[in-house]
Amino acid sequence: MDDYIIRAVTVGGQVRAFAAVTNNTVGEAASIHNLSPVASAALGRTLTAAAIMSKMLKSEGNIITIQIKGDGPLGGVVVVSDYQANLRGYIYNPEVYIPLNSKGKLDVAGAIGKGYLNVIMDLGLKEPYIGYVDLVSGEIAEDIAYYFAYSEQTPSIVSLGVLVSPEGKILSSGGFIIQLMPDAEEETISFLEKRIKDIPSVTTMLYEGKTPEDILKYIFEGMELKISDKSPCKYKCNCSKERMERGIISLGKKEIQGMIKEQKGAEAQCHFCNKKYWFNAEELEKLM
Ligand code: ZN
């Protein structure tokens, strides 16, 4: 199955819902960064959240960044998506191995620890919008739900999951976000709350071969749902030598002079795709 995201609304517009399958995107991230299983789960959940949230952006050129910073061994997560759901991301410490949690699952909360989550939306305005919340669980889905409730005053049900084999292969990855609009009736809310408790995990459903459409139809069983959009997502870095120049310039004159003298050049590596760019002495002179 190719990776994609769907958007849907209930008839009457009380609830909007998004669902995504991200197996290939997360598989690509895991292979680029040589992620451990718990790092795959953490980065994969965040990539899926960003894929879905890119569909909440307003227009071409808008960019969403999710940053998670924790005091656990993973250190932090950074994920960026553009309007077309071209996704990229990295984990501070990608090769962390920690024991499974008490439920026998990958311990994402333990690997992230205590900290905060930032959502930065560049909507092409003078200043980007920045939402900031403390982590409530470190499991990421709950933290994103808390972000929506706290920063955007939108009650949301968020489910994000990555199923990883013991060898580190991504078996399934995806998620959904369901949001209640201000006119949502109490009845609809209690129906969804109960329904979410009854259904299998999103990774189980995807692993069984269910599509994002199947998953939303299953959750909203008996309610009329209109699927309004389907669009692809993928892992795609947008780095270039020109973009890397900015990083080198920010090191300052003295540092650059040192690199010319000692190494006759400098190597810059992209955090998101690990591609390396070499700047020779002449190019560094120009940057100074
Ligand atoms: Zn790159």
Side-chain angles (χ1 to χ4, degrees):
M1 200 184 333
D2 284 336
D3 287 358
Y4 65 92
I5 309 150
I6 57 164
R7 175 209 291 265
V9 285
T10 54
V11 172
Q14 288 186 32
V15 181
R16 70 171 182 176
F18 303 83
V21 56
T22 56
N23 294 9
N24 305 322
T25 304
V26 176
E28 177 87 14
S31 98
I32 287 173
H33 297 295
N34 196 22
L35 300 175
S36 69
V38 74
S40 285
L43 186 56
R45 290 179 194 180
T46 315
L47 283 165
T48 301
I52 291 175
M53 289 164 79
S54 75
K55 299 298 133 189
M56 300 172 187
L57 294 171
K58 300 282 181 275
S59 56
E60 189 92 18
N62 290 179
I63 291 166
I64 181 165
T65 304
I66 303 176
Q67 289 179 333
I68 298 170
K69 191 101 202 299
D71 63 4
L74 285 180
V77 186
V78 179
V79 167
V80 183
S81 177
D82 66 12
Y83 185 65
Q84 285 86 5
N86 291 309
L87 295 147
R88 60 189 200 273
Y90 63 90
I91 293 248
Y92 291 12
N93 305 310
E95 295 176 38
V96 165
Y97 287 81
I98 62 168
L100 299 177
N101 65 20
S102 59
K103 291 176 187 157
K105 300 254 170 77
L106 292 169
D107 190 5
V108 173
I112 294 220
K114 289 188 176 58
Y116 62 85
L117 177 141
N118 266 341
V119 174
I120 304 160
M121 278 195 265
D122 185 346
L123 305 174
L125 306 169
K126 222 182 241 170
E127 298 283 336
Y129 163 84
I130 303 176
Y132 170 99
V133 289
D134 285 330
L135 294 174
V136 287
S137 85
E139 291 286 351
I140 301 173
E142 288 159 43
D143 303 300
I144 298 278
Y146 181 66
Y147 159 78
F148 279 120
Y150 183 81
S151 284
E152 300 193 6
Q153 286 81 46
T154 309
S156 307
I157 298 164
V158 181
S159 175
L160 305 165
V162 181
L163 186 63
V164 192
S165 78
E167 300 76 42
K169 190 176 177 325
I170 307 302
L171 301 175
S172 71
S173 175
F176 59 82
I177 298 182
I178 297 170
Q179 297 193 307
L180 302 167
M181 299 294 104
D183 59 351
E185 285 161 16
E186 203 51 52
E187 206 180 311
T188 313
I189 298 171
S190 54
F191 168 82
L192 284 170
E193 279 173 350
K194 181 169 182 306
R195 193 73 190 122
I196 292 304
K197 288 197 187 105
D198 292 344
I199 62 167
S201 73
V202 68
T203 44
T204 303
M205 291 192 279
L206 288 167
Y207 190 59
E208 284 169 352
K210 286 195 169 64
T211 63
E213 288 90 335
D214 294 335
I215 291 171
L216 288 188
K217 280 178 191 157
Y218 182 61
I219 296 169
F220 287 85
E221 188 191 40
M223 287 175 81
E224 245 190 292
L225 198 65
K226 189 174 158 276
I227 292 169
S228 58
D229 183 54
K230 176 178 172 176
S231 51
C233 63
K234 61 174 176 298
Y235 197 97
K236 191 176 176 225
C237 192
N238 66 348
C239 65
S240 64
K241 197 156 180 180
E242 290 74 49
R243 280 174 187 269
M244 301 308 282
E245 279 177 2
R246 284 180 225 158
I248 293 197
I249 291 167
S250 71
L251 294 174
K253 206 168 173 178
K254 212 172 156 197
E255 188 79 12
I256 300 175
Q257 267 166 345
M259 293 189 296
I260 294 171
K261 216 170 148 195
E262 285 154 34
Q263 309 161 51
K264 310 270 177 278
E267 187 179 78
Q269 187 170 21
C270 174
H271 287 309
F272 294 101
C273 70
N274 291 337
K275 193 171 168 186
K276 289 174 181 164
Y277 293 88
W278 176 254
F279 290 85
N280 63 30
E282 200 181 319
E283 287 167 320
L284 290 180
E285 291 279 2
K286 262 189 221 156
L287 293 181
M288 281 202 304

